[in-house]
Amino acid sequence: MNDIKLALLGSEGAGKSAVLVRFLTKRFIGEYASNTNSLYRKRLSIDGRQLNLEVFDPCSQGTEARCILEEPVDWADGFVVVYNISDRTSFINAENILQQIRETRIENCKGEVEVPVCLVGNKQDLCHARQVCEEEGRSLAQENRCLFQEVSAAESYQEIANLFTQLIRQVMEHLKYRADRRRYSSSKSMAKLINNMFGKRRKSV
Ligand SMILES: Nc1nc2c(ncn2[C@@H]2O[C@H](COP(=O)(O)OP(=O)(O)OP(=O)(O)O)[C@@H](O)[C@H]2O)c(=O)[nH]1
């Protein structure tokens, strides 16, 4: 069974909990306690594989983006960064968060492939009050090589489900790649060790 850990990041009130709860339960619940960190767990089956999904929804009340990032950035296998299309500040914050994910991951995992991330433009139903156009979201996602979708946690389930499914697939590939790399580098160092121990001795016989 695969364990997949995701972290939800974004400005206060962008709709992080609403997006996640929509994915996990297919329902929209209007209000959530936002003064605590929450860890959601669910068993899923994707492409016939059983998964234990854990999603960390950190409390973002009164905290700056950098503080929000500190805890989950090492823990998570993938990130969901949410902004509100009717709030430009939340988009600018999402931009900063994407940059911080990139920087932190580059520092911590030299040479590894980039961690899977998806950018979500939530509250699409508020398009009459739109402050961020869809194209801006798409091009930010392209710059950061991440998935992108505008959604409305209030009104629809399917787009959110598709997005999480794509992200989880990418995470599974990423974890497999990392495990293969670890196996390869440990078998290479084992071969080197054996060679050092016996290769030379054999030569002198
Ligand atoms: N119109 C509309 N409102 C939404 C949508 N998603 C969430 N909301 C509302 O936006 C508010 C904030 O939603 P939350 O899910 O609590 O946002 P959050 O990002 O988890 O907020 P914090 O926990 O405070 O960081 C709530 O009043 C939700 O009902 C949406 O798609 N459309």
Side-chain angles (χ1 to χ4, degrees), residues 12-18 28 30-32 34 60 122-123 125 152-154:
E12 191 178 333
K16 299 180 294 295
S17 308
F28 175 64
E31 296 303 325
Y32 305 86
S34 56
S60 52
N122 187 37
K123 308 200 185 182
D125 53 294
S152 167

Side-chain angles (χ1 to χ4, degrees), residues 143-159:
E143 278 164 33
N144 287 277
R145 287 187 289 279
C146 60
L147 299 165
F148 171 70
Q149 184 69 52
E150 280 198 354
V151 303
S152 167
E155 290 188 347
S156 68
Y157 161 73
Q158 202 51 52
E159 286 157 342

Side-chain angles (χ1 to χ4, degrees), residues 81 83 85 118-122 124 134 137-138 141 146-152 159-160 162-163 166:
V81 179
Y83 67 92
I85 66 145
C118 74
L119 177 66
V120 183
N122 187 37
Q124 199 188 30
E134 188 167 4
R138 196 177 309 287
C146 60
L147 299 165
F148 171 70
Q149 184 69 52
E150 280 198 354
V151 303
S152 167
E159 286 157 342
I160 293 175
N162 293 346
L163 193 61
Q166 282 185 64

